[in-house]
Amino acid sequence: KTIQADAKQSNLVVLPAFSFCGPVSEQNYQALGEKLLGKSTQAASDFAVRLKSHLVASFIEKDGDAFFHTAVLLGPDGKLIGQYRQTHLDPSQSFLTAGSDLPVYSTSIGKVGMLLNDDFRFPEASGVLALRRADVIAGPVNWSGQYGQCLQDAEGLFDHPCAQNTMIFWYAAAKTSQA
């Protein structure tokens, strides 16, 4: 099936966490590590161009002796707009290094911030992105139910309720940051 993007439409594609390498563990993270402009960023860049869309993907970045869970934001032209290193790591990922900044990037679709996996468990992370005026928070995650639960709205409270099975952390980040 061919996916075509309307030239008048702004598109954003957000791939799951560890988009091209699959699950990451203490046994394989070093073998999966790559430079910022390595094969994962190149594959994501090619995909962004094919889709004529902004695209966010994540991978294990090796920078010196440190390994990070890094997200990249690419433009429809395939060029790297920015990167984000996960700041809130799950204790089971002690082999990774936490990032130290929550950047927001100006694009033609608005100001884009990124969060990864456990970052959503900390409302301060999306709060910082809100203070930095993010319009969109892209969140590549590999959540499989290990924390949180579905949002439970009071029936009939809203004219347009949230979709069934809306995850509370994603909802809270969007609502509190107005993104």
Side-chain angles (χ1 to χ4, degrees):
K1 180 177 178 181
T2 301
I3 300 172
Q4 294 181 346
D6 182 348
K8 297 177 186 175
Q9 181 178 325
S10 295
N11 294 303
L12 173 64
V13 174
V14 180
L15 299 178
F18 311 116
S19 309
F20 301 105
C21 65
V24 175
S25 69
E26 192 165 6
Q27 289 72 41
N28 70 0
Y29 78 97
Q30 290 179 325
L32 296 174
E34 58 186 271
K35 297 284 184 193
L36 177 63
L37 298 177
K39 62 184 179 179
S40 290
T41 300
Q42 185 58 55
S45 173
D46 293 345
F47 200 37
V49 170
R50 285 184 48 213
L51 294 175
K52 299 177 184 157
S53 298
H54 287 81
L55 188 134
V56 177
S58 84
F59 61 97
I60 297 298
E61 177 191 3
K62 182 178 184 338
D63 186 2
D65 291 333
F67 291 84
F68 300 90
H69 182 198
T70 299
V72 289
L73 170 62
L74 301 148
D77 58 1
K79 291 186 179 172
L80 179 67
I81 295 171
Q83 73 180 61
Y84 165 68
R85 291 173 169 167
Q86 184 176 345
T87 55
H88 299 86
L89 297 169
D90 183 85
S92 69
Q93 294 180 320
S94 62
F95 51 88
L96 297 177
T97 301
S100 60
D101 193 18
L102 292 157
V104 172
Y105 299 97
S106 293
T107 73
S108 61
I109 59 171
K111 293 183 177 181
V112 178
M114 296 173 275
L115 295 177
L116 290 163
N117 287 340
D118 289 294
D119 288 330
F120 282 98
R121 294 174 56 194
F122 301 87
E124 296 83 3
S126 60
V128 168
L129 295 178
L131 289 172
R132 293 181 175 177
R133 302 283 193 221
D135 300 305
V136 175
I137 298 174
V141 299
N142 66 340
W143 179 79
S144 59
Q146 63 270 40
Y147 53 79
Q149 62 183 4
C150 294
L151 179 66
Q152 296 179 7
D153 278 338
E155 194 171 323
L157 183 61
F158 300 105
D159 287 339
H160 304 285
C162 292
Q164 278 190 332
N165 297 322
T166 297
M167 174 36 174
I168 189 68
F169 287 113
W170 322 151
Y171 172 81
K175 183 176 179 179
T176 60
S177 65
Q178 297 290 301

